Amino acid sequence: MFLLAALMFAVTGFVSPEFHSSFAQSASGPVKILTLERAFPLDEPVELSELRARDRVRHARILLGGGNGGRQNSVGGVVDFPVQGSSDPYLVGLYFTKVKLGSPPTEFNVQIDTGSDILWVTCSSCSNCPHTSGLGIDLHFFDAPGSLTAGSVTCSDPICSSVFQTTAAQCSENNQCGYSFRYGDGSGTAGYYMTDTFYFDAILGESLVANSSAPIVFGCSTFQSGDLTKSDKAVDGIFGFGKGKLSVVSQLSSRGITPPVFSHCLKGDGSGGGVFVLGEILVPGIVYSPLVPSQPHYNLNLLSIDVNGQMLPIDAAAFETSNTRGTIVDTGTTLTYLVKEAYDPFLNAITNRVSQLVTPIISNGEQCYLVSTSISDMFPSVSLNFAGGASMMLRPQDYLFHYGFYDGASMWCIGFMKAPEEQTILGDLVLKDKVFVYDIARQRIGWANYDCSMSVNVSVTSGKDLVNSGQTCLNISTMDMLLKLFSSILLALLVCISLT
């Protein structure tokens, strides 16, 4: 048995963004694998106006969001979400993954959302929900009466009495705990909470566990409105990774199934991709800034902004955190949004720095520049400076995006927008090409520059690096073959043990 375990670790001790199916060894919890897919095809352009509109909807959701994150002490296995997608505004899309719920299990495509807390999927009893999707995916409905393991959350359940800013707990006539979500664009969903089995493949300690599962609480949507009813971008629900007690992160980590930390590394090149991990990605040179306490989202204290080493004249009060202000790290937003007090000095500093080298131009109301050579040779570096002495260094491609060509020149536009509200929101444009670690246990976020096309090292226990992916990765077909082989060997060993 120990020989088998050693062999398994030798071939599986890594997590790779290239994998659609992979696994790793953990001494204290299983490793579960889900695959993220891109909502919009990479060859399907998106207009900037549509991008801003989607971000505005996203920000309304964030402003209404809530939750109550607390320190967790349990440490478990790792969940690896290989990512597809791009930060390019022309090719931007939402990210979704596949989950399996119920008995027999049904597969659902759900958006990954770090700005909300609840996993919800569409119920079979929903009368106005989309039945087709323009994303090229099949939509599915959760059949609560048809699941052998489904359970209701009653009105007397402590979950129902919990107060969430994003939901309104309510009781139905049949004693089911209901919820409703209302987003700032007028769209929304309503339904009721349920418990059922969530499925995953896992390795637990020295034993290979196939088709593992854990019960979770999630929402069953019976009503949708606004953009959620449109078929062009329809998916089966939303997968919340926020700080609230009902988020998947909190539910799994509180039972030791996953550690109280998650990470991501988003590729910034044209093909996009990357990896999203419920666990800690280990990279050299990572710097940390403390999370602002008592906030429902992943808020950081942004202190100042430097352009080409010079601090911008921004009143520090512009970045202070309150109920309506502050700086949020959000993978669901594509661009970056600065409050007016910071946006104007930033834009002026960039334009003044390059005005003699490029041709400034306004395109669709946005500040752009006609560039004849590489932007790296002309545009300055930018530093976002946070509490704890942690700075985020930005290259020109981290605050500019390519917006086509004009009069034979390459046109690059500022990817920092003026925030329509009072919150600064850091989106994928600045988050790409970096490892980000959301350390919920220690209430901090860390980051480091990284080539996200490479494999990553992941720690599955505190202070102990059990997963080393800095080696040649097995391909998917080889991985599947080894899984089947190990399953057969382990089953035979267990039968022998039981017979003796």
Side-chain angles (χ1 to χ4, degrees):
M1 181 66 74
F2 289 104
L3 178 61
L4 173 62
L7 179 60
M8 288 166 56
F9 181 78
V11 299
T12 64
F14 54 83
V15 176
S16 169
E18 289 83 11
F19 282 168
H20 292 278
S21 297
S22 61
F23 57 90
Q25 184 180 19
S26 167
S28 56
V31 176
K32 297 158 297 301
I33 308 303
L34 297 173
T35 302
L36 282 182
E37 299 184 22
R38 194 175 188 277
F40 298 131
L42 284 172
D43 58 355
E44 186 174 298
V46 178
E47 291 297 327
L48 186 60
S49 59
E50 181 181 349
L51 179 68
R52 288 198 302 266
R54 184 181 73 83
D55 279 347
R56 282 196 298 270
V57 172
R58 171 71 177 175
H59 300 165
R61 181 186 306 171
I62 288 175
L63 293 175
L64 290 172
N68 184 19
R71 182 184 179 97
Q72 304 286 352
N73 296 317
S74 58
V75 178
V78 173
V79 184
D80 172 27
F81 301 82
V83 173
Q84 296 182 31
S86 171
S87 62
D88 188 336
Y90 263 131
L91 306 174
V92 68
L94 305 175
Y95 294 102
F96 63 93
T97 190
K98 296 180 185 296
V99 299
K100 289 183 179 181
L101 294 167
S103 301
T106 301
E107 189 172 70
F108 300 95
N109 294 289
V110 288
Q111 292 183 15
I112 294 293
D113 185 7
T114 58
S116 65
D117 298 327
I118 312 298
L119 166 63
W120 65 263
V121 296
T122 303
C123 262
S124 57
S125 56
C126 185
S127 58
N128 68 325
C129 298
H131 287 257
T132 60
S133 174
L135 304 177
I137 60 175
D138 293 328
L139 298 183
H140 298 92
F141 296 83
F142 184 77
D143 181 15
S147 175
L148 300 177
T149 50
S152 297
V153 177
T154 64
C155 297
S156 59
D157 194 292
I159 293 174
C160 198
S161 60
S162 299
V163 177
F164 296 96
Q165 296 179 23
T166 54
T167 63
Q170 48 199 290
C171 270
S172 64
E173 295 180 355
N174 56 358
N175 198 32
Q176 287 181 313
C177 181
Y179 69 86
S180 65
F181 296 79
R182 180 62 58 181
Y183 303 137
D185 66 334
S187 66
T189 176
Y192 53 90
Y193 288 120
M194 295 197 62
T195 62
D196 211 333
T197 306
F198 172 72
Y199 295 90
F200 48 85
D201 293 330
I203 293 179
L204 181 61
E206 297 179 355
S207 300
L208 177 64
V209 180
N211 298 323
S212 298
S213 62
I216 63 169
V217 177
F218 63 97
C220 200
S221 174
T222 58
F223 174 82
Q224 294 172 18
S225 62
D227 285 346
L228 291 176
T229 64
K230 297 179 180 179
S231 296
D232 57 340
K233 304 171 187 176
V235 290
D236 296 318
I238 292 179
F239 204 173
F241 283 95
K243 295 169 64 178
K245 293 181 179 179
L246 281 189
S247 74
V248 172
V249 173
S250 297
Q251 289 194 60
L252 296 182
S253 65
S254 66
R255 287 178 282 166
I257 298 173
T258 63
V261 57
F262 67 91
S263 315
H264 60 70
C265 194
L266 306 176
K267 291 170 61 177
D269 60 18
S271 62
V275 64
F276 190 103
V277 176
L278 293 189
E280 181 182 2
I281 296 178
L282 301 175
V283 291
I286 192 167
V287 295
Y288 286 93
S289 184
L291 284 167
V292 180
S294 304
Q295 294 297 311
H297 303 291
Y298 298 108
N299 285 71
L300 293 176
N301 270 318
L302 177 60
L303 302 179
S304 63
I305 300 176
D306 294 350
V307 173
N308 200 41
Q310 299 295 314
M311 182 181 298
L312 298 182
I314 303 172
D315 189 339
F319 299 129
E320 290 181 354
T321 301
S322 66
N323 290 337
T324 58
R325 300 182 69 94
T327 300
I328 296 174
V329 180
D330 177 35
T331 58
T333 294
T334 303
L335 304 175
T336 286
Y337 293 78
L338 292 177
V339 292
K340 183 181 185 301
E341 302 94 319
Y343 175 81
D344 292 338
F346 173 81
L347 183 61
N348 292 336
I350 298 297
T351 302
N352 292 337
R353 178 72 182 178
V354 302
S355 59
Q356 302 301 316
L357 304 174
V358 303
T359 303
I361 184 174
I362 302 298
S363 176
N364 296 324
E366 306 300 336
Q367 181 63 62
C368 301
Y369 309 91
L370 299 181
V371 182
S372 57
T373 62
S374 170
I375 58 173
S376 299
D377 299 331
M378 298 184 175
F379 285 83
S381 61
V382 172
S383 174
L384 306 181
N385 306 310
F386 296 87
S391 293
M392 188 184 300
M393 302 303 299
L394 304 181
R395 307 160 299 171
Q397 57 264 44
D398 295 330
Y399 61 84
L400 297 169
F401 64 90
H402 190 232
Y403 203 49
F405 296 88
Y406 183 83
D407 284 346
S410 182
M411 183 163 65
W412 289 81
C413 300
I414 292 287
F416 282 23
M417 301 294 170
K418 186 179 297 185
E421 305 292 341
E422 295 182 317
Q423 285 186 312
T424 292
I425 300 177
L426 307 181
D428 292 339
L429 192 65
V430 301
L431 304 183
K432 70 180 189 300
D433 297 324
K434 301 175 185 66
V435 164
F436 267 79
V437 176
Y438 301 69
D439 190 341
I440 301 172
R442 296 180 177 87
Q443 288 292 286
R444 61 181 186 172
I445 291 181
W447 57 85
N449 293 334
Y450 195 79
D451 180 356
C452 297
S453 63
M454 298 176 60
S455 302
V456 295
N457 296 330
V458 179
S459 173
V460 293
T461 60
S462 298
K464 187 175 182 181
D465 179 16
L466 294 182
V467 185
N468 181 3
S469 61
Q471 53 184 296
T472 302
C473 299
L474 297 176
N475 60 41
I476 298 170
S477 58
T478 304
M479 182 70 70
D480 291 340
M481 178 182 67
L482 287 170
L483 276 171
K484 294 177 181 178
L485 174 63
F486 288 142
S487 297
S488 300
I489 295 174
L490 181 60
L491 179 60
L493 289 174
L494 292 176
V495 169
C496 290
I497 292 172
S498 62
L499 291 175
T500 56

